[in-house]
Amino acid sequence: MGTKTSFLIAWRSISRRKTKNLSVILAVALGVTLLVGIQITTDTLENAFLTSLLQGEGEVDVRILNSTSGGYLSTTEIGPIGDLIPDAVGIMSEVSSQIPALVESQFDPNMNIAGVSTNYSDVFGTFYDWKTGNQLDLDSLFVDNSSILLSSDQAEKLGLNMDTILPFNLTTEFTNLTTTVIPPPLIPLSNWTVNSELTNSPHVLVSNPLGLHLELQPTNFASMVTAYTIAAPNLRLSNYAYVNVTSSGTSNALISLSFFMDDGSSFDVANWTIPSILNAVSFDLTPYSDRILRGDVYVSVMSSNGTQASLDMLDIAFETPTIGGSSRLPVVLLTPELARVELNVKGFFDSNRPGIGSQYSGAVFKLEHLQSWLSLKDPFHETDIVSAYLIAFKTDHFTEEISEEFLKTKVELLEEIIPEKTDDFTGETNKIYQVSAPRLNFFGVAGFFITLLSTILSALGLLITLTGLLLITNVQLMSVEDREFQTGVLRAVGENRRGIFQSIIIENLFQGIIGGILGLFGGLAFGQGVAIYLVSLFGTGELSVQPVISQEAVILSVIVGIALSIITGILPALRASRVNIVDALRGIKVKFEAKSSRNLVTLGGLIIFLGLIMLLVNGVFEESSQVFWSADGWDTLAEWRNLMIGFGMLAGGTGLFLSRFINRIKAFNIAAIVLWAIPSFLFLVAMGNWITDTGSLSIDILFIGVGEIILGSILFVALNLPIVMRGLRKVLIKIRGLKGVAEISPAMISSHITRSTLTFAIFAIILTLNVLVATLIPTSLGNITELEEDSKGVDFVVFLNKPETILNGTSFSEELYNLDSQITDVIGLKTFKPNQDFTKFIALENPLSSEFDGTTDLLPIGTGEFTSIQIRGNASDYSDDNWRYAFYLDGFPDGIRESFASDLSDSELLVLSKRSWDQFFNSTYRMAAYNVSSDFLSIISGESDISDLQLGPGSEGDSFGPGSGGDSLEGVEPLRNVDGDIIENPIVFTDSFLLPIGFQVWIPMNISSMGLPNYQAFTIGGSFDSQRAGGFPLGSSLNLGGGETDFSAVLGSLYLSEYWANQTNFLGEANNQSLSSRAKDQYDSYLIKTSLSIDDLQFEQITQSIKEFVNTNDEGYRFLADDNFYVASTAITYARVEQTLQLTDRITSFLQIYVTFGLAIGAVGMGVISVRNVAERKREIGMMRAIGFPRAAVILSVLLELVVLGVIGLVIGVIDGLIISAGFASMQNVALVIPWDQIGVYLSFIVLIAIGAGSIPAYVASKIPPAEALRYVG
Amino acid sequence: MKTRKNSQELIKKQPILSITNLHKRYNIGKSNEVHALRGVDLTVNKGDMMAIMGPSGCGKTTLLNMIGHLDRRSSGNIIIDKVDTSTLPDSQMTAFRRDNIGFIFQLFNLFPFLSAVENVETPLLLKGVNSGLAREQAKMLLRELGMGDRLYHQPNELSGGQQQRVAVGRALINQPAIILGDEPTGDLDSTTSSDVMILFRRINRTNNQTLVLVTHNRWIAEQCDYIVHMRDGKISHLEPGPFKRMEKKQ
């Protein structure tokens, strides 16, 4: 019989066995639903995420900026730029900045503003009115330079809505820079007089503001003339580097020039030198830097040849160095003044509607108006300024996004043709423009996060899909088992094995196609649902979630459906084709032989060989790993991967091999135990104890470990199912009324080991996952108990948007004490965020070196100050117990880092931290700079792409911050200068994940006369432990779930000691050089300790009252400071824990989707099994009834089977889940909390599922008349 | 006339089973309605061994199922051991079946997943007998039935005859009022069949056990005390078996 017959048989079987086919189709559909659902979820999320990112760019494809950071372009450059991009469909100029905004009492310290030309190109779209949706007429709205439009986003941020009455006033501040030119300090040349005591010859003295002329008519070689002045200014010599004299005179003149200082000593700028030398030499003042001029200056002239000699001095100048050396320039004093300005809001535009409005999240000015406002902070009040030229290559980005490839090509091409300019000063050539394409970055960022997300989704999905596969296999197996008799008949009437195989596969094909199509719809619904749910969990809700059904997904679903049903059907089909005709006809079920064939033995040998090779990788083939027979060979995760695979294969192979020679069950039992024990050992013992570096835990190791545990335990239980069932029978048979069921049910379960195993395996996998998830929360709760200790008593933090005002008789801290009597300690801190002021950015390369590139080497990272009194209180050093706020570090400076180990106790860690703090406050301490780099930095600076970033193991060095054990700089070379000496710098501490220990940075200190910062080099000497309270409250965490995330806040900050902070004009007094510097106690962040316990609910009220105190116009602190531009925000320490909990909660509920789906699969599996069991066991049920089993017993036996299988799955799942959780717990160094109540819930859930799934078939079974049941032949 | 006289003579003995005007219809009201039993009257005395013979489809198995309470009658009365079961609810009927009737089937119908001794002890367990005691009784019975060395074998490890012995054991263990056999030797070869029949005879004689067997094997039927012939859902006639005839002659 050929294929045609196979088709015929398959077709009849499909059309006549409807309910039985239904279960296969259902199973396939479920499996496909999962796969397609995950695919669609990922696609949809990527699209939603990307759309939300891209929306903010409006129609803009590329921005062209000045290539020097922070520099402006001019309006005239639109021509040359336009010429560079002939194929742009639109180009517009834009000026942008950030200002504070106050409306009523609502304050936004950083509102984005942009100036837009009123006749910008139509390509960029239209501003639409928020309320009416009509087009806004810019020309009529921007009546004067105070007219602005507010975006709907910004309006909401300021507590306004679309019905707010227009126009209204918005108060802001603009920086007004006044320039004062102070001429270089000169020694006045008028009013000099001759000193008669030091004059012995005829002479001429002409002294006036234009110059000093001194002429000598010598009478002999000792003739001299001396003139002096007492009108020299009392200059502080530390402020000056050189004395420069401009002079001329006869070559025979010998000149002496002396200045007297406050201590009565003097220095000679000239000591009998000739005028030309005096003119050429700059006199170094460094040795006198601690002195002040007394006021008297002497100049003497002698003649070297006895003839007439003369000297003309045009000026005597005290000079300071500037970049490029010393020159006599006037000192320019720039005085920034904040001018408070009332702006007039003329309208709201919709920032969520496609159009130009989506480009702007803050306020919009007319271009010329904003140019004039911003010109105020320019020393020359230059109004011809453009921040960027915006280029569009196409229109209607909202309907069809630009192609990533196209844009990439465009940008690369553009970058190439940008003209270069040679810097006169350094002689280097630079591109004059910089091209920025946020869209391209967004594509990259979206891709990066989605890859991460889809990895997690797929990982989970894979597990659940596995359960789906088990279900399908189970159903397929049953349908074959069920038809063994028919198969026997078919074989008897002449069908050959191939025919049987074919007909079953053809049947599977039909089922696969139908299941695949059904699964597509299921997957669509599932994917859509999950995507929406995910967005609601993690997103702001603004993401537009449009289901994205790619063609691949559709094709995939059908292919997968078919593949699933065929692959899972092959084994059962093979089994069917091998049916022994006689046995089948006699109703004897196929039984495995007790011992294996030679083929299996060969296979086993092969697997043993591979396993041995994997084991030999450790230490023998791979040098970096240790050999596994020594304890060192078990202490890294990479080694464990090899060990798990190696021993797993060895055990499996040995099982197969031995199965020929000893009892199969015994042989496989060994394999199962080994398979289970190795990863269990990893999770229970090795993790956290042997393996100290768990930072490189990767998904594959986790998969192997979890996979082996689950597989091993399932296999073990399956092999020993008869023993378990005998145990069950022993228990049940003692119970009156259950004796009959006790005799039957356990035997029934162990009679179908494969089927039973596949069923409880589904539950085992799902429940492992479930228990893992359930343990996650209480285990992370364990972290909280440490919080109180770690927070060092700081209960909450108050942040002001700007430094407090210096008040007479009080201070902000003082006011806080008054506000609530429970506040016991207020630790004020100075912090500074550079925002857009690039002169205050941290430099990653020496700004004076030729390698410095302003576009990539400046980082807008914050700075802050720690004073000894804040941290140490009155304690003198680490040995003192009485520290005020001693928090943990996890990166330490030289000399301390070496004694760090991961297994240190908290108190030992604290001692190391305190010792580091001692170094920090020691202003003479210097630490070597090391040759370290940061992957993250190179991404941020644009040197490498985010896609280059390696996650998990394999990334060398420091990509995820300091390692968790040992000396992170061991073996790293210190940096050396040109002379070969080790570079040593003072240290700073950081909470930034970007900056590794040993890294050298340059921090801008005081601003020089040129308005440019002077940089001081530092070594990163310590990092705060963000896992402990060390990272809190200063460390800014990524705040998932909305809210504003300030870029610089995400990057973290660098912290200077008091000594160094005082030399910056934005944190300290900077030697009184700058008017914008801070007073000693002018803080902006306050760590608050109270007499309450850390989880007290009163903190909500206290922080609320502080916010009210500060954030109300003309009252409280705004009244005291006479400034409505203050806004306070607070962070409660315990709330951080709650945030973590919420996040865990979200992740859990996300995982719950999968878990629920898994349970649904389990339920369907049970349903299918019980239906099939009942159908197949009709005759047995008839027998039961015939010999006197009551109906209830029949129902009970059907349900019992399901409950027992479910509970076995539960037990395996709970044990495995707890083992894995224990691993995670010891990895995080927290106590494992077992969620017994949750496990109880699962238990009842399983029982419910079993009863639910089995009740109908059980009832049907009990209703079958015994006589009819006995006639059933299948 | 002769047979009638005989049967009246039997009634005077202790009737253990009496059937009057029994009807059974399948698929009532449907196009494929079958009137399987059309008024059967039959009385079986305690200790009788009776065979029911007749062509295929004459209602033999239906009658046996009715006697065994495996199926509901359409009308008529069945009184077993003086109990009229027509009004009993299912639960009591099941208990009645468990306590009073033993079944032996052509295909043995042993539980394939239970060992011989487990198959045999099940009815005892259903009655709530202590499991240890039940096991002992089952073992004893199987030893009596010559299965002492096959106690823990599963049905598919046993030959047909052995399986039937286990089935007999299961039917006997409760000491039922009647043992019903539906073609008990139909699946066995002639040697084994005769072994099984000798076993039945022995049980019948030693325990005074009532047996009703359905068969269409004349040789089997002739081992019985009486042979009931059925045709078209009715009993056509009843004849005494050879043993009975010999008894009579003596």
Side-chain angles (χ1 to χ4, degrees), chain A residues 949-1235:
Chain A
L949 185 66
Q950 288 183 308
L951 290 173
S955 65
E956 296 294 322
D958 49 78
S959 51
F960 273 100
S964 47
D967 182 355
S968 60
L969 289 175
E970 198 179 345
V972 181
E973 279 298 307
L975 293 172
R976 289 169 192 276
N977 62 17
V978 280
D979 301 327
D981 299 327
I982 290 175
I983 296 173
E984 288 187 326
N985 300 312
I987 56 170
V988 286
F989 284 176
T990 188
D991 57 10
S992 171
F993 64 98
L994 294 169
L995 303 167
I997 299 286
F999 197 64
Q1000 193 179 19
V1001 293
W1002 285 262
I1003 299 177
M1005 305 304 274
N1006 47 359
I1007 303 294
S1008 79
S1009 58
M1010 290 290 285
L1012 292 168
N1014 290 317
Y1015 286 89
Q1016 165 72 42
F1018 288 94
T1019 304
I1020 307 287
S1023 58
F1024 302 152
D1025 187 344
S1026 59
Q1027 296 298 311
R1028 319 290 294 265
F1032 179 84
L1034 307 144
S1036 33
S1037 56
L1038 273 165
N1039 187 8
L1040 282 170
E1044 276 172 277
T1045 35
D1046 187 337
F1047 186 54
S1048 58
V1050 171
L1051 296 182
S1053 293
L1054 284 173
Y1055 293 89
L1056 303 154
S1057 67
E1058 190 175 12
Y1059 176 83
W1060 291 104
N1062 263 333
Q1063 299 182 46
T1064 67
N1065 63 359
F1066 40 97
L1067 283 176
E1069 295 166 297
N1071 294 344
N1072 288 323
Q1073 275 197 341
S1074 165
L1075 292 176
S1076 60
S1077 63
R1078 294 227 204 144
K1080 192 174 183 310
D1081 300 324
Q1082 206 180 354
Y1083 303 123
D1084 52 34
S1085 305
Y1086 305 84
L1087 312 183
I1088 317 279
K1089 294 187 187 180
T1090 67
S1091 52
L1092 303 167
S1093 78
I1094 193 160
D1095 54 352
D1096 201 300
L1097 293 172
Q1098 280 190 57
F1099 291 130
E1100 285 293 339
Q1101 295 151 28
I1102 298 174
T1103 53
Q1104 193 54 43
S1105 68
I1106 290 172
K1107 278 189 267 189
E1108 274 166 27
F1109 170 66
V1110 178
N1111 301 352
T1112 316
N1113 268 4
D1114 306 316
E1115 282 176 35
Y1117 193 69
R1118 286 187 182 178
F1119 172 76
L1120 285 177
D1122 190 22
D1123 188 349
N1124 284 340
F1125 271 42
Y1126 273 103
V1127 60
S1129 51
T1130 56
I1132 301 169
T1133 309
Y1134 191 70
R1136 186 180 158 92
V1137 175
E1138 286 179 327
Q1139 262 180 19
T1140 318
L1141 282 183
Q1142 273 174 10
L1143 188 69
T1144 322
D1145 224 24
R1146 283 173 175 172
I1147 293 171
T1148 313
S1149 46
F1150 161 61
L1151 292 177
Q1152 214 68 44
I1153 302 175
Y1154 286 88
V1155 167
T1156 312
F1157 205 81
L1159 283 176
I1161 289 185
V1164 170
M1166 277 193 164
V1168 168
I1169 280 196
S1170 77
V1171 169
R1172 303 307 296 266
N1173 274 353
V1174 166
E1176 187 184 319
R1177 291 181 182 153
K1178 247 183 178 171
R1179 252 178 73 191
E1180 281 144 33
I1181 291 166
M1183 281 184 249
M1184 284 167 70
R1185 299 280 285 130
I1187 64 168
F1189 276 82
R1191 273 192 185 153
V1194 172
I1195 293 178
L1196 196 64
S1197 73
V1198 172
L1199 293 183
L1200 190 72
E1201 178 165 2
L1202 298 182
V1203 171
V1204 164
L1205 291 180
V1207 170
I1208 290 176
L1210 177 83
V1211 170
I1212 298 175
V1214 167
I1215 292 173
D1216 288 352
L1218 288 180
I1219 289 172
I1220 299 163
S1221 302
F1224 281 117
S1226 52
M1227 205 170 84
Q1228 295 172 7
N1229 222 355
V1230 292
L1232 175 71
V1233 181
I1234 302 174

Side-chain angles (χ1 to χ4, degrees), chain A residues 758-805:
Chain A
L758 289 173
T759 310
F760 73 71
I762 293 174
F763 283 95
I765 293 171
I766 292 160
L767 284 159
T768 303
L769 209 66
N770 241 345
V771 170
L772 193 60
V773 170
T775 350
L776 211 65
I777 296 184
T779 304
S780 25
L781 264 170
N783 274 323
I784 297 160
T785 55
E786 287 181 25
L787 188 80
E788 184 152 19
E789 163 62 18
D790 290 354
S791 68
K792 302 293 173 202
V794 171
D795 295 316
F796 64 93
V797 198
V798 177
F799 304 101
L800 288 179
N801 61 311
K802 61 176 184 175
E804 62 178 284
T805 303

Side-chain angles (χ1 to χ4, degrees), chain A residues 125-146:
Chain A
T126 310
F127 286 102
Y128 294 100
D129 190 89
W130 191 18
K131 191 177 180 183
T132 62
N134 296 334
Q135 194 167 336
L136 287 170
D137 178 19
L138 298 187
D139 278 315
S140 68
L141 290 165
F142 291 138
V143 286
D144 55 26
N145 69 353
S146 67

Side-chain angles (χ1 to χ4, degrees), chain A residues 114 116-118 127 137-149 346 364-367 369:
Chain A
V116 174
S117 169
T118 47
F127 286 102
D137 178 19
L138 298 187
D139 278 315
S140 68
L141 290 165
F142 291 138
V143 286
D144 55 26
N145 69 353
S146 67
S147 309
I148 60 166
L149 296 177
K346 298 284 189 187
V364 170
F365 291 67
K366 187 173 178 176
L367 181 68
H369 296 161

